Amino acid sequence: MNINKTALLLIDLQKEKGTSDIVGMEKIVARTQSLIETCRAQSIPVIYTRHINRGDGVGLANNEPVNETGSPLYYNSDTDAIDILDEVAPTSSDIVIDKSRYSGFFESSLDARLKELDIQHLLIGGVLTDVCVLATVNDAFSLNYQVNLISDLSGTTSEGAHMAATLIMANWIYDLKIFQASQMQNLLKGKKYQVWETAAPDELNFAPESMKDAFKRIKKH
């Protein structure tokens, strides 16, 4: 990985009320704070996505939950739910990309900004693992970015959903590398580190009863 062509991409770390339901969210935020500091010290661009639904209901996704007036229940642009969490808030030198669908690339300026910065490698974490993280990683792969998923910087509403989404990405994003946050920090600081990467497509083929065993193969790195 060429650090000079690397960016940290943080997905939807916002004040939306459902964020508190994410398993292990406090630890995710603490690890994210630490990795952000390391990236800034290395002059690695820090990029945030914000999911935003217009308060007037214009342009919402199919069947987006709304209230009796047609205003979106989640990520409503008329509320502070769209703001980045204070603990990991961007600085003036960071980049914030607004989006209206799951993928950070869909109808946004993300790809253009990455190309302006000559980015080839992405460090990705955020929420939800099985929704916006998964969609963004898939699109990043389609656009030929090499993705480094920071597994313990990501989370969703259940451990099973987090594991399933991570295993799907591990199986089918052919050049994906999966790090724990501490190991990515070791890499960035020039220290010895551990990383999981696939040896073959569908390497972690899993059934419901074997999901935890398959996931352990990633977590041990």
Side-chain angles (χ1 to χ4, degrees), residues 159 163 167 180 196 204 210-221:
E159 182 183 10
M163 287 192 293
L167 291 171
Q180 302 299 301
W196 182 90
L204 298 174
S210 66
M211 180 187 294
K212 287 189 176 181
D213 288 337
F215 193 70
K216 284 178 183 176
R217 293 171 60 186
I218 294 173
K219 286 193 70 176
K220 71 178 181 179
H221 292 285

Side-chain angles (χ1 to χ4, degrees), residues 122-139:
L122 295 174
L123 318 180
I124 296 185
V127 299
L128 300 169
T129 315
D130 55 338
V131 187
C132 296
V133 174
L134 176 62
T136 301
V137 168
N138 281 331
D139 279 355

Side-chain angles (χ1 to χ4, degrees), residues 42-74:
Q42 297 278 355
S43 298
I44 292 172
V46 180
I47 303 173
Y48 300 75
T49 68
R50 296 194 309 171
H51 195 96
I52 297 179
N53 292 320
R54 283 182 48 159
D56 59 9
V58 173
L60 297 180
N62 291 344
N63 291 330
E64 178 71 34
V66 296
N67 62 21
E68 62 279 0
T69 67
S71 188
L73 297 179
Y74 307 116

Side-chain angles (χ1 to χ4, degrees), residues 40-146:
R40 287 177 178 154
Q42 297 278 355
S43 298
I44 292 172
V46 180
I47 303 173
Y48 300 75
T49 68
R50 296 194 309 171
H51 195 96
I52 297 179
N53 292 320
R54 283 182 48 159
D56 59 9
V58 173
L60 297 180
N62 291 344
N63 291 330
E64 178 71 34
V66 296
N67 62 21
E68 62 279 0
T69 67
S71 188
L73 297 179
Y74 307 116
Y75 300 103
N76 188 322
S77 64
D78 294 335
T79 72
D80 68 357
I82 65 172
D83 295 339
I84 304 295
L85 293 167
D86 293 336
E87 299 90 335
V88 293
T91 66
S92 59
S93 62
D94 297 328
I95 298 169
V96 179
I97 303 292
D98 292 339
K99 64 186 182 69
S100 61
R101 293 295 188 271
Y102 292 155
S103 172
F105 289 95
F106 183 78
E107 294 186 349
S108 81
S109 61
L110 178 57
D111 187 41
R113 296 303 300 272
L114 293 173
K115 284 183 168 57
E116 287 172 3
L117 294 168
D118 195 24
I119 298 300
Q120 297 177 0
H121 308 278
L122 295 174
L123 318 180
I124 296 185
V127 299
L128 300 169
T129 315
D130 55 338
V131 187
C132 296
V133 174
L134 176 62
T136 301
V137 168
N138 281 331
D139 279 355
F141 178 60
S142 296
L143 292 165
N144 295 321
Y145 294 100
Q146 187 273 316

